[in-house]
Amino acid sequence: MDKVQDTIDLLKMYNQEHIIKLLERLEGEKKQALIEQISKIDFHQLKELYDNTKRKIEIKENKIEPLPYLDKKKLSKEQKETFQKLGEAVLEKGEYAVVTMAGGQGTRLGHSGPKGTFKLDVYGKGKYLFEILAENLKQANQKYGKIIPWYIMTSKENNNATIQFMEKHNYFGYDKNSVRFFTQSELPIVDVDGKLLVGKDMRIKEASDGNGGTYSSLRASGCLAEMKERGIKWVFIGGVDNALLKMADTVLLGMAIDKKVQIASKSIVKANPHERVGVFAKMNGHPKVIEYSEMPDKMAEEVDEDGELKYGEAHIMCNLYTIEAIEKISKETLIYHTAFKKNAYIDKNGKEVIPQRENSYKFESFIFDAFELFDDIAILRGKREDDFAPVKNKEGVDSPKTAKELYEKFWNR
Ligand code: UTP
């Protein structure tokens, strides 16, 4: 009984009285489950996140400067070989692990099921995105004589479907014992007044907390500890939806070692000043990725003495970390960004409401917001045609059609 009263008091304290009415209608297991879920919510954090939706974060031009990078195709033969040797040694010693972020909802693509289970129509037969990633890793395993441990981050929503899919396809020939799934954390969704939403299943509506949750979820799941036990020194973290992602690039790895940095990232040049991608920069002396929506037009168009865009290095979710860097970030709280979304809910009379317009806030942290915790990161400029074939939208730019073309062109070469 006390537990029920405690929950009611908590809900009152944080202006969530509407849930009390719903709670009173429930009995037995469903009631217990809701109480249990409410007890795990950090209401203080949620209030802060909601208050932040009212604030606009402004980027002041004068605090920003370009972040230096190395262009892979302009490296001298010696420099490239030095990097490669340094990188290869890590792979040969089995000190390298890979994380695939596969917890996204893939709403723009509109594929029913986890994004990695999407089949890209390449070479007649087609290949699943997970299959393409597995092939990339298998190549590296063969080359360096070690099996790279592969950690796949799922969401609570798509975890079962992802595991079933991989089982069904026999992990695309990957050593099953070297694949581990872990689930990312979630945060409650709130409406425009900061009220929690309850779904048809009579649970508080929650959603994945963005790909920035990778670090803390690696720790919470025990994957980080396992990596350390395995003697892993470097961890690559990449997305699930780039058909040309190179997960074991020894030049990138060697560059990071040579430059003695804790994080290295591969970039590509922006297709045009207004391409909708985040770009690398330095803000207040720290590395950062500035989202296209946050970058003033003038700055986006600025060129240097060679006529190249000053802020032209696009972030493509191709990031490499020392295990110490992951450890450090996993203990920090990254900033949360707000997305305004449509979410159905149960009203106080128990009736489901399906909104016509966006009605609620979802909170997400981004993987790259961790960069500013460091003084420096190293950037290696890759090439769009070698490194970037994203599957984001159903049609048009960054769609299955463009990714198929880029993938086939690359492999035909
Ligand atoms: P995106 O931000 O492009 O999101 O994710 P998405 O889910 O693929 O697609 P939309 O925006 O809903 O259409 C970039 C990478 O981050 C992962 C995705 O799976 C993808 O690999 N991600 C994103 C997560 O793992 N968790 C999240 O909460 C969000």
Side-chain angles (χ1 to χ4, degrees), residues 101-108 115 153 184 208 210-211 239-240 392:
M101 301 180 293
Q105 289 178 302
T107 37
R108 286 168 289 170
K115 212 176 194 181
M153 183 172 79
Q184 74 174 101
S208 291
N211 57 28
V240 73
K392 294 282 179 198

Side-chain angles (χ1 to χ4, degrees), residues 262-282:
Q262 298 217 57
I263 300 180
S265 189
K266 196 186 273 173
S267 65
I268 55 163
V269 188
K270 251 178 156 181
N272 62 68
H274 300 291
E275 190 185 7
R276 294 158 78 90
V277 288
V279 291
F280 288 98
K282 235 174 193 194

